[in-house]
């Protein structure tokens, strides 16, 4: 939630790194006694303290003041009493409902809000990759893949593009959703390789895990020299995080 101030609203003090005074923010959103409001919030919801630090702003007689970043302020607003807290909780519930329902307009909203061209391109690549992954899984099903074959194919391509299987990618790069760790370049290459596997499966009328894994290996082998030439070597295992058998 963004703090909208008017000309006669109190000034919200900020630290050099952009964090805001919780007392000032509470006053802007309608609290007549921010310190009392904060004390009641801390007593009822002690977890909000974890999103704040205490410091003294410059000036004579300044007392310790809780400061927080944008994410911390959203946590505080979510437990505020009164109309503001109710509106925020309703908006948050609506957002969760849309997410759980798979509302594609959420992605459109995110794209519209994105002003960084690199991030916008990444979002486009991520959407394209999701589409190709759905098609690949459907293709694997038509050709009689077991769960092991699904896992093998995806990790065979993961290793070709990143040098790591899914678990290693998650550990090394931080996100529990494997492809959210991919760069735009990696998403583009991985998408192309998925289409190549689909093409070969259909062209050869592959059936069963043996045929499927052989084709995945063949695609990875064919792409290997191209990846090494233009994008550099992808060693496996990368960093020795795990010893996972494909």
């Amino acid at each position: 939630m963004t703090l909208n101030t008017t000309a006669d609203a109190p000034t919200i003090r900020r630290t050099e790194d952009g964090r805001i005074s919780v007392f000032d923010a509470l006053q802007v959103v309608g609290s007549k006694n921010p310190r009392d409001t904060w004390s009641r919030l801390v007593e009822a919801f002690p977890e909000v303290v974890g999103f704040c630090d205490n410091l003294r702003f410059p000036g004579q007689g300044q007392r310790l003041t809780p400061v927080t970043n944008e994410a911390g302020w959203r946590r505080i607003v979510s437990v505020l009493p009164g109309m503001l807290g109710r509106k925020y909780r309703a908006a948050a519930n609506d957002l969760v409902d849309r997410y759980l329902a798979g509302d594609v307009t959420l992605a459109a909203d995110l794209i519209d809000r994105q002003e960084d061209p690199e991030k916008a391109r990444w979002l486009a690549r991520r959407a394209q990759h999701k589409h190709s992954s759905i098609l690949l899984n459907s293709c694997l099903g038509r050709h009689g893949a077991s769960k092991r074959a699904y896992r093998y194919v995806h990790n065979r391509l993961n290793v070709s593009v990143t040098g790591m299987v899914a678990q290693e990618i998650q550990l090394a790069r931080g996100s529990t959703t494997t492809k959210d760790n991919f760069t735009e370049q990696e998403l583009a290459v991985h998408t192309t390789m998925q289409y190549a596997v689909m093409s070969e499966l259909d062209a050869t009328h592959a059936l069963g895990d043996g045929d499927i894994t052989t084709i995945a290996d063949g695609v990875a082998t064919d792409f290997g020299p191209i990846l090494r030439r233009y994008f550099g070597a992808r060693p496996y295992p990368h960093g020795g995080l795990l010893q996972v058998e494909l």
Side-chain angles (χ1 to χ4, degrees):
M1 176 175 289
T2 302
L3 290 170
N4 295 316
T5 60
T6 59
D8 58 350
T11 300
I12 298 177
R13 292 168 293 176
R14 295 179 180 272
T15 63
E16 290 185 359
D17 60 2
R19 290 177 295 170
I20 63 172
S21 161
V22 173
F23 293 157
D24 294 348
L26 288 173
Q27 190 172 3
V28 165
V29 299
S31 174
K32 295 181 179 179
N33 194 325
R35 289 184 180 273
D36 287 348
T37 300
W38 180 242
S39 295
R40 291 195 295 271
L41 286 177
V42 169
E43 182 177 358
F45 306 99
E47 64 273 13
V48 298
V49 177
F51 301 103
C52 303
D53 293 316
N54 287 317
L55 59 78
R56 284 186 176 85
F57 282 94
Q60 186 175 2
Q62 291 289 336
R63 291 186 286 176
L64 284 174
T65 298
V67 296
T68 191
N69 58 17
E70 185 175 346
W73 174 245
R74 287 197 297 269
R75 302 302 194 283
I76 294 168
V77 173
S78 71
V79 296
L80 280 179
M83 181 60 72
L84 181 65
R86 288 196 295 272
K87 287 176 62 178
Y88 183 88
R89 289 187 287 275
N93 288 336
D94 179 64
L95 185 63
V96 171
D97 289 343
R98 292 173 65 195
Y99 174 80
L100 293 177
D103 185 349
V104 297
T105 62
L106 276 178
D109 290 346
L110 183 59
I111 291 171
D112 285 341
R113 290 170 58 88
Q114 187 53 252
E115 297 181 357
D116 184 327
E118 291 186 7
K119 292 180 180 179
R121 288 198 307 269
W122 184 90
L123 282 170
R125 289 291 187 192
R126 186 69 174 85
Q128 291 169 350
H129 184 275
K130 178 63 177 180
H131 178 65
S132 66
S133 293
I134 292 172
L135 294 178
L136 174 58
N137 287 336
S138 177
C139 184
L140 290 171
R142 292 198 309 272
H143 290 276
S146 68
K147 289 184 179 179
R148 179 185 178 278
Y150 278 88
R151 185 169 59 250
Y152 184 95
V153 171
H154 285 286
N155 269 329
R156 190 69 179 87
L157 302 187
N158 287 339
V159 170
S160 294
V161 174
T162 70
M164 297 176 280
V165 297
Q167 290 169 285
E168 292 174 323
I169 295 168
Q170 293 167 16
L171 285 172
R173 301 187 182 183
S175 175
T176 56
T177 302
T178 302
K179 298 310 181 293
D180 283 350
N181 293 297
F182 277 34
T183 65
E184 179 191 347
Q185 180 189 87
E186 289 168 342
L187 286 169
V189 173
H190 200 279
T191 297
T192 302
M193 294 182 74
Q194 289 189 128
Y195 279 113
V197 170
M198 286 185 272
S199 177
E200 283 296 289
L201 288 173
D202 288 338
T204 62
H205 305 288
L207 184 62
D209 287 4
D211 288 352
I212 290 169
T213 56
T214 296
I215 285 174
D217 288 338
V219 169
T221 299
D222 290 343
F223 272 78
I226 299 173
L227 294 175
R228 286 192 296 273
R229 178 175 178 180
Y230 294 107
F231 305 120
R234 297 294 191 267
Y236 179 80
H238 182 73
L241 293 173
L242 295 173
Q243 297 290 334
V244 178
E245 181 182 354
L246 290 177

